[in-house]
Amino acid sequence: MDYLQFAQEIMTSAMNAGAHEAEVLVQTGNEFNVDVRKGEIETLTQASSKGLGLRIFVDKRMAFSSTTDFNRDVVNDLVKTTVQLAKAATRDRFNGLPDVEKGVPPHLDLFDTDVVELPAERGIEMAKECERAAFDFDPRIKNSHGGGFGSHSGTRVLANSNGILYSNSGTDCGISCSPIAEQGEEKQVAGYWSSNRFLNKLDAPKDVGVQAAIRAVRKLGAKSVETQKVPVVFDWMIGGVLWGAVFSALDGENVHRGMSFLKKMIDKKIASSIVQVIDDPLIPGGIGSMPFDGEGLLTKRKVVIEDGVLKLYFYDTRTGRKYGHEATGNARRGYSSIPSVAPSNFYLQPSDIDPSEIIKGVSNGFYVTETMGQGANIVTGDFSIGASGIWIKDGELAFPVQEVTIAGNMMDMMRNVDQIANDAKFMSTIVTPTFKVAEMTVSGR
């Protein structure tokens, strides 16, 4: 099927049925996932999917519907029903498509034919190889939650009655391992993973397994510590837990409803001067990269925090109109949902400092490698999260720590960031390198 033509035809049908504005999103995809445990396949999935989402506006009244059935009669009935639903909906003067001129979406190198053509047998072997490397690394790795490999390819087509007709395709793949280390009666589990849009840019399966094993073994003998205020270093793998809450607090809807600790903070200093935060959907090959957003807006790089000063909030078309701001091109959606604000590649700018140098500079502190829970309150900025990691003594990683809680306020955390490392890995939509906060409360025994 020619999905570009299909989307245009559905949009035209909607306008002929009485819509004042119409938008069609068509998504298609293929995925492969395998999980192995102790060398045996536990689950294996190969699936194809497709779906169509339809937004209709009639006199600023909106209705949305979706389907996975592309039969023309089914779709025609969906169009007619959705138009009628829009006519019966509540009027909202901020509703409608974005008022933008169409352009040419940039090419961002998001598709890898090697991912699409990878034989299932090779994907299975990569998962097994990853887990096997963890077992081979140390005799104390005696069990496993498994190893896994997954890949996905997909295409989206967006057409609307303002003349937008965009399409882009992308791939992604990932490998992970979660071994269990045992010593006497003690058991410790840890994980490691790698993801990329390109198969040849993934970490080698063996390296993923070894890193997972290292993280599991070094947790053996973990204990709690006395409650104290110390410097806290956040590993690159878990920094996004806190900065994800920062993004939520920058959602324009949350801000203007008074549901964000960052309300009324534009052009004010909210973080230390070394903090630079970027949202960049135009990074070639980036996991969160997108040439156009879920409403058909061409995307752009945005400086969110500059030298510690907040520069913007995030808006989709509706919230931008409602609060008098330009949409930021951060609308995300699938075919079964309406657009909402989400990060693209939202990251804390790395420096040129090696993480080991940060550790060396701490005489007594906590290196956090895992967190439990999502304990951030974006209204107040207060947070409390369970954590485990390694205690730092005289610049060295001294002993493993567990059963502690890190508590504080997001604003205080950002203002007390005093070192940022160079090890950011762009494997998700929220990315941080290892970073250090000058002082936080670590609550233990």
Side-chain angles (χ1 to χ4, degrees), residues 32-35 41-46 120-121 123-124:
F32 171 83
N33 290 285
V34 60
D35 293 302
I41 296 174
E42 288 210 319
T43 62
L44 189 150
T45 304
Q46 285 184 292
E121 293 79 10
I124 293 168

Side-chain angles (χ1 to χ4, degrees), residues 207-218:
D207 293 342
V208 172
V210 167
Q211 286 298 320
I214 289 172
R215 287 174 176 257
V217 168
R218 74 183 183 187

Side-chain angles (χ1 to χ4, degrees), residues 52-55 63-67 78-79 82 85 333 335-336:
L52 178 150
L54 176 65
R55 277 205 302 167
F64 172 80
S65 60
S66 65
T67 182
L78 184 77
V79 168
T82 309
L85 289 172
R333 61 176 294 195
Y335 75 86
S336 60

